[in-house]
C-alpha cells in the first residue's frame, strides 16, 4: 500500500470507515479517470494525486462523520460536478441508492463512465436543472439525504435541494468558510421550504488545514406546491 492510500485509509479508519482493497482500487480508478477526462473538459482545477485524495475524496466522505449514512438508504446529490460528494460516499457505503443531478450533459457523460468503470450499482445520473427534476413525482420529497457541495449560497441552495428531501430527511450543504452570514440570509427560505437547522459542523482538512463547514437542515414537511420556481429563478431572485 502506497503512502497516499495509507494516509487516506488510516484517516477514514479514525472515523470507523474501514476500506477494503477493492474500495481503494475504486478510488484510484476514479482518480485516474478524473485526470484523464479533465484534459478534455473542465472537471476540476485539482489534479495532483495527494490533493485529489484530500480535497475531493476525503472532503466528500467527511459528510459521513456528521451524518448517519448507514441509516440512510437514498441520497440525491445536486449540482454534483465531477461526482462530489456522492460518488466517494457511494464507494464507502455501497448500500446507498444514489441519484446525481447536473445541468451539464458532458459532466453526466463523465459520471456515467465512472459509475460503469467502477462497477457501482444503484447510481442514476440525471441531466437537467434541479428546479425541473424536483417537480417530478419520483424525485420530489423522496430522499433520506440530499447534498450539495460548493454550488451556491444557502438561500439559493435551499430551493434547489430541499424539494428532493423527504419529510424528516436531511439536507447537508457542504461549505468552505464560516456560513453564519449565509444562514442569516437563508432564514426565510428555510421557513418557506419547510426546513429547520439542526447543526453546523466545522472541520479542517488534515494536511492543508483549510476550513470546511457542513450546514445540516431537517425537512419538517412536504414541499409547498409553488416550489421550486421555474428554472433560473432561484439564482436570479433568491428567497429573502
Amino acid at each position: 500500500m502506497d503512502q497516499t492510500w495509507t494516509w487516506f485509509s488510516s484517516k477514514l479508519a479514525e472515523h470507523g470507515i474501514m476500506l477494503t482493497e477493492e474500495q481503494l482500487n475504486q478510488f484510484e480508478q476514479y482518480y485516474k479517470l478524473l485526470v484523464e477526462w479533465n484534459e478534455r473538459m473542465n472537471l476540476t482545477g485539482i489534479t495532483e494525486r495527494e490533493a485529489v485524495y484530500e480535497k475531493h475524496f476525503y472532503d466528500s466522505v467527511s459528510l459521513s462523520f456528521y451524518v448517519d449514512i448507514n441509516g440512510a438508504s437514498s441520497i440525491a446529490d445536486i449540482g454534483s460536478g465531477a461526482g462530489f460528494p456522492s460518488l466517494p460516499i457511494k464507494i464507502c457505503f455501497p448500500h446507498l441508492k444514489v441519484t446525481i443531478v447536473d445541468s451539464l450533459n458532458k459532466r453526466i457523460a463523465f459520471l456515467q463512465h465512472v459509475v460503469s468503470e467502477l462497477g457501482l450499482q444503484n447510481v442514476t445520473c440525471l441531466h437537467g436543472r434541479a428546479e425541473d427534476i424536483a417537480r417530478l413525482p419520483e424525485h420530489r420529497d423522496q430522499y433520506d439525504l440530499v447534498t450539495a457541495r460548493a454550488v451556491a449560497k444557502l438561500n439559493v441552495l435551499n430551493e434547489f435541494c430541499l424539494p428532493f428531501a423527504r419529510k424528516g430527511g436531511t439536507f447537508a450543504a457542504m461549505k468552505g468558510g464560516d456560513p453564519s452570514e449565509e444562514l442569516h440570509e437563508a432564514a426565510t427560505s428555510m421557513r418557506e421550504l419547510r426546513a429547520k437547522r439542526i447543526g453546523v459542523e466545522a472541520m479542517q482538512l488534515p494536511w492543508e488545514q483549510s476550513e470546511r463547514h457542513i450546514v445540516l437542515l431537517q425537512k419538517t414537511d412536504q414541499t409547498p406546491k409553488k416550489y421550486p420556481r421555474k428554472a433560473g429563478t432561484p439564482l436570479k431572485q433568491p428567497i429573502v
Side-chain angles (χ1 to χ4, degrees), residues 8 11-17 57-69 89 92-93 201-206 214 216:
F8 182 61
K11 281 296 175 187
L12 293 188
E14 290 174 10
H15 295 274
I17 301 169
F57 296 165
Y58 178 87
D59 186 29
S60 293
V61 178
S62 70
L63 178 60
S64 69
F65 307 164
Y66 308 104
V67 174
D68 177 20
I69 303 286
I89 290 172
C92 293
F93 299 90
E201 304 292 348
M203 61 168 264
Q204 290 181 312
L205 292 180
I214 301 175
L216 298 172

Side-chain angles (χ1 to χ4, degrees), residues 141-152:
D141 298 324
Q142 293 297 318
Y143 293 88
D144 297 327
L145 176 62
V146 182
T147 67
R149 179 176 178 258
V151 172

Side-chain angles (χ1 to χ4, degrees), residues 184-195:
H184 179 71
E185 292 174 351
T188 303
S189 65
M190 275 189 258
R191 194 163 55 246
E192 283 283 306
L193 289 149
R194 308 295 189 263

Side-chain angles (χ1 to χ4, degrees), residues 33-60:
L33 289 170
L34 180 69
V35 172
E36 178 190 328
W37 279 61
N38 200 58
E39 292 177 2
R40 307 199 296 270
M41 55 187 286
N42 182 27
L43 289 166
T44 177
I46 300 165
T47 55
E48 188 196 358
R49 184 165 175 260
E50 291 79 6
V52 169
Y53 270 81
E54 180 181 30
K55 296 179 186 178
H56 285 326
F57 296 165
Y58 178 87
D59 186 29
S60 293

Side-chain angles (χ1 to χ4, degrees), residues 22 26 29 90 113-122:
E22 180 187 2
Q26 285 177 317
Q29 198 171 4
K90 171 68 176 177
H113 184 70
V114 171
V115 167
S116 174
E117 290 294 304
L118 271 55
L120 300 177
Q121 303 296 312
N122 292 318

Side-chain angles (χ1 to χ4, degrees), residues 13-234:
E14 290 174 10
H15 295 274
I17 301 169
M18 312 303 293
L19 296 179
T20 64
E21 188 172 347
E22 180 187 2
Q23 287 168 311
L24 283 169
N25 281 323
Q26 285 177 317
F27 275 112
E28 186 65 14
Q29 198 171 4
Y30 190 178
Y31 164 69
K32 288 176 179 174
L33 289 170
L34 180 69
V35 172
E36 178 190 328
W37 279 61
N38 200 58
E39 292 177 2
R40 307 199 296 270
M41 55 187 286
N42 182 27
L43 289 166
T44 177
I46 300 165
T47 55
E48 188 196 358
R49 184 165 175 260
E50 291 79 6
V52 169
Y53 270 81
E54 180 181 30
K55 296 179 186 178
H56 285 326
F57 296 165
Y58 178 87
D59 186 29
S60 293
V61 178
S62 70
L63 178 60
S64 69
F65 307 164
Y66 308 104
V67 174
D68 177 20
I69 303 286
N70 284 312
S73 63
S74 59
I75 177 174
D77 186 9
I78 310 305
S80 180
F84 308 125
S86 55
L87 289 187
I89 290 172
K90 171 68 176 177
I91 292 170
C92 293
F93 299 90
H95 76 279
L96 280 175
K97 184 178 179 182
V98 176
T99 298
I100 295 174
V101 177
D102 199 274
S103 61
L104 193 63
N105 206 27
K106 286 193 294 185
R107 284 198 291 256
I108 291 294
F110 165 72
L111 295 170
Q112 288 172 330
H113 184 70
V114 171
V115 167
S116 174
E117 290 294 304
L118 271 55
L120 300 177
Q121 303 296 312
N122 292 318
V123 179
T124 302
C125 302
L126 295 176
H127 172 233
R129 301 287 289 265
E131 303 98 312
D132 296 327
I133 293 172
R135 286 275 174 193
L136 302 176
E138 62 266 35
H139 300 292
R140 188 177 183 84
D141 298 324
Q142 293 297 318
Y143 293 88
D144 297 327
L145 176 62
V146 182
T147 67
R149 179 176 178 258
V151 172
K153 281 193 167 187
L154 193 59
N155 58 351
V156 176
L157 273 185
N158 283 340
E159 192 167 355
F160 285 162
C161 298
L162 283 167
F164 288 88
R166 65 167 174 81
K167 182 180 178 181
T170 301
F171 167 41
M174 303 182 74
K175 296 284 184 180
D178 184 354
S180 298
E181 188 176 330
E182 282 190 43
L183 275 162
H184 179 71
E185 292 174 351
T188 303
S189 65
M190 275 189 258
R191 194 163 55 246
E192 283 283 306
L193 289 149
R194 308 295 189 263
K196 65 177 182 180
R197 177 176 135 185
I198 52 175
V200 178
E201 304 292 348
M203 61 168 264
Q204 290 181 312
L205 292 180
W207 290 110
E208 195 199 47
Q209 295 289 298
S210 57
E211 280 189 359
R212 295 290 187 270
H213 291 80
I214 301 175
V215 178
L216 298 172
L217 307 181
Q218 185 179 57
K219 187 83 167 283
T220 58
D221 207 344
Q222 291 191 319
T223 307
K225 286 183 180 178
K226 66 177 178 178
Y227 294 113
R229 293 168 292 167
K230 69 178 183 179
T233 304

